[in-house]
Each structure stands twice: as structure tokens, then as C-alpha cells.
Amino acid sequence: MGEESVGLYRTLSADDLVHRTAAVLIHLGQAIAMKAETNPKSADYATQALDIIRPLAARNDKYKPQLSEWILYPAIDFLVSTGQKPRAIQLAQEAVDIFTALNQSDPHTYGPRLALAKQRLAQLQQ
């Protein structure tokens, strides 16, 4: 049991490290997004962060809210600002799907976020 505990601890530490790596990419993208010439790099950093955290969220539900939040902001905004609206629409639909599932277990917390994700998706589809 001790070895199992150590293994679980290492897995949790690895998950936390993965999450922190994705967070750094998000923050880096936000830091450079104000300049037009670095906007494409911001979009790249945001999508890299999503690609990093997506498998983590698939394994551990506690990361799903963070994935959805990063999709809503900043990823969608960065993609739209770089002319990647179709990709932004796909991400908005992903956020709606995630928040729909989360809303089933906690409507008080995730209902407003689901409504926001649906609104954002509708705006992008216009």
C-alpha cells in the first residue's frame, strides 16, 4: 500500500506540474497579446495550453472547469483576433459541452458559465 500511495502522489504531482505548465503558457500569451505583432504567438500559446490540459481534464474531472475557462478566455479571443474564427467556434462548442456536463452535477456553480459559453458560441456563429 505504501508503494501505491507513493505512486498516486507522483501521479498527482505530475498532473499538477502539467496544469502549471499550461497555466504558464496561458499567462505568457496574455502578457504578449497587447501587441499586434505578437498576437499570433498568443493564440499559439493558448492552444498549446489547451492541448496540454485537455488529456489531464479527460483523466481528472477537477481540471475540466479550468479547461473550459481557458477556452472562453483567452483562447477564443486570441483565435478570433488572428482570423481563426472557425477554430474559435469549435472551441466554444467544446466549452459548451464541458459546461453542460458540469452543470448536471452543480447547476449553481456551472449554470452561469454554461449560459456564457452558449452566448459566446452564438455570437461566434453569427
Side-chain angles (χ1 to χ4, degrees):
M1 288 189 66
E3 288 179 11
E4 182 180 350
S5 295
V6 170
L8 288 171
Y9 183 76
R10 285 185 178 148
T11 299
L12 291 174
S13 296
D15 286 353
D16 189 47
L17 180 59
V18 168
H19 177 259
R20 288 178 190 269
T21 301
V24 167
L25 286 167
I26 289 291
H27 295 304
L28 183 56
Q30 290 171 319
I32 65 170
M34 301 310 282
K35 296 180 180 179
E37 65 271 12
T38 56
N39 241 354
K41 195 66 176 167
S42 293
D44 185 45
Y45 285 147
T47 55
Q48 284 180 46
L50 298 179
D51 289 344
I52 288 170
I53 197 171
R54 197 175 277 116
L56 185 59
R59 286 193 318 271
N60 188 333
D61 287 347
K62 87 175 196 177
Y63 296 102
K64 286 181 180 179
Q66 184 68 74
L67 170 60
S68 326
E69 291 295 337
W70 284 343
I71 288 171
L72 289 179
Y73 179 79
I76 288 174
D77 291 342
F78 291 169
L79 291 171
V80 169
S81 72
T82 57
Q84 300 179 64
K85 189 174 178 181
R87 195 167 176 199
I89 290 171
Q90 291 174 337
L91 285 179
Q93 183 60 61
E94 182 180 358
V96 168
D97 294 344
I98 294 168
F99 279 126
T100 297
L102 292 170
N103 185 57
Q104 297 203 0
S105 63
D106 187 353
H108 179 73
T109 300
Y110 298 111
R113 303 308 293 163
L114 174 57
L116 179 63
K118 286 180 177 181
Q119 178 185 19
R120 189 71 170 122
L121 177 59
Q123 289 170 342
L124 288 167
Q125 290 174 329
Q126 293 179 356

